[in-house]
Amino acid sequence: MIEIQKMTGTKEENYALALKQVQAMIAGEPNLIANLSNVSSILNQALSDINWVGFYLLEKETNQLVLGPFQGLPACIRIPLGKGVCGSAASDQKTYIVENVHDFPGHIACDAASNSEIVLPIVKNNQLFGVLDIDSPLFNRFDEVDQLWLEKIRDAITQEIN
């Protein structure tokens, strides 16, 4: 059993510890839902000033992102590809950092308290699996440091996808 508490180091220290915890937790575990559940919990403890962290997974039959494991308030269940920040990051297969979600064309407001967002696509062998989505009540909460470390964590997840 692992005990995870809110981390109190610098941003980089917290991310480095979170990456180690993610790698240790998911190594050799083939169940994607179990892994994503633990990753969302670890990130919820590691990151300050966030109000939602979780995953949307691609449902190929409908070409939509469907809510997966998360930490936070209840969220939108389905997001069409190309819609909102999550759908745009998924269709473009690139990380989106949005300083003010209210200025993002077609933003889907699942939690009215969210003001900024970072979304990272999860892609393996050119196949989209879903996105990692993190929201904050602060404007301009996410930066290149967040992107760098979250991409490392995303890559650790991707390595475990079969």
Side-chain angles (χ1 to χ4, degrees):
M1 180 134 216
I2 187 169
E3 182 177 327
I4 298 177
Q5 299 175 349
K6 279 286 186 189
M7 298 180 193
T8 58
T10 66
K11 182 190 275 193
E12 290 84 358
E13 290 169 341
N14 290 350
Y15 272 122
L17 181 55
L19 176 60
K20 286 181 185 177
Q21 289 177 337
V22 165
Q23 290 168 328
M25 181 67 72
I26 69 175
E29 174 51 58
N31 189 287
L32 182 63
I33 298 301
N35 286 339
L36 298 183
S37 296
N38 279 325
V39 172
S40 62
S41 179
I42 291 168
L43 289 174
N44 191 49
Q45 297 303 308
L47 302 180
S48 61
D49 300 315
I50 64 167
N51 59 320
W52 200 93
V53 55
F55 298 89
Y56 281 91
L57 304 176
L58 178 65
E59 185 178 76
K60 293 178 186 175
E61 303 79 23
T62 62
N63 216 29
Q64 293 179 331
L65 296 172
V66 178
L67 182 64
F70 71 93
Q71 301 276 310
L73 293 177
C76 303
I77 295 173
R78 293 181 176 274
I79 299 174
L81 291 184
K83 301 293 181 188
V85 182
C86 288
S88 297
S91 12
D92 295 342
Q93 294 190 9
K94 71 174 196 172
T95 298
Y96 273 60
I97 297 175
V98 181
E99 297 175 0
N100 181 347
V101 295
H102 309 290
D103 291 341
F104 191 89
H107 174 251
I108 301 168
C110 294
D111 182 347
S114 295
N115 288 312
S116 64
E117 186 170 9
I118 185 169
V119 180
L120 301 92
I122 301 170
V123 178
K124 184 168 186 174
N125 300 326
N126 294 319
Q127 181 181 354
L128 176 69
F129 280 84
V131 298
L132 167 58
D133 178 23
I134 306 175
D135 296 351
S136 173
L138 303 180
F139 291 99
N140 201 24
R141 159 62 181 83
F142 304 102
D143 59 21
E144 293 78 20
V145 172
D146 295 290
Q147 180 176 350
L148 172 75
W149 283 99
L150 289 168
E151 286 178 349
K152 289 179 183 185
I153 290 169
R154 183 263 327 266
D155 293 347
I157 295 165
T158 304
Q159 288 177 359
E160 295 299 322
I161 295 174
N162 294 322

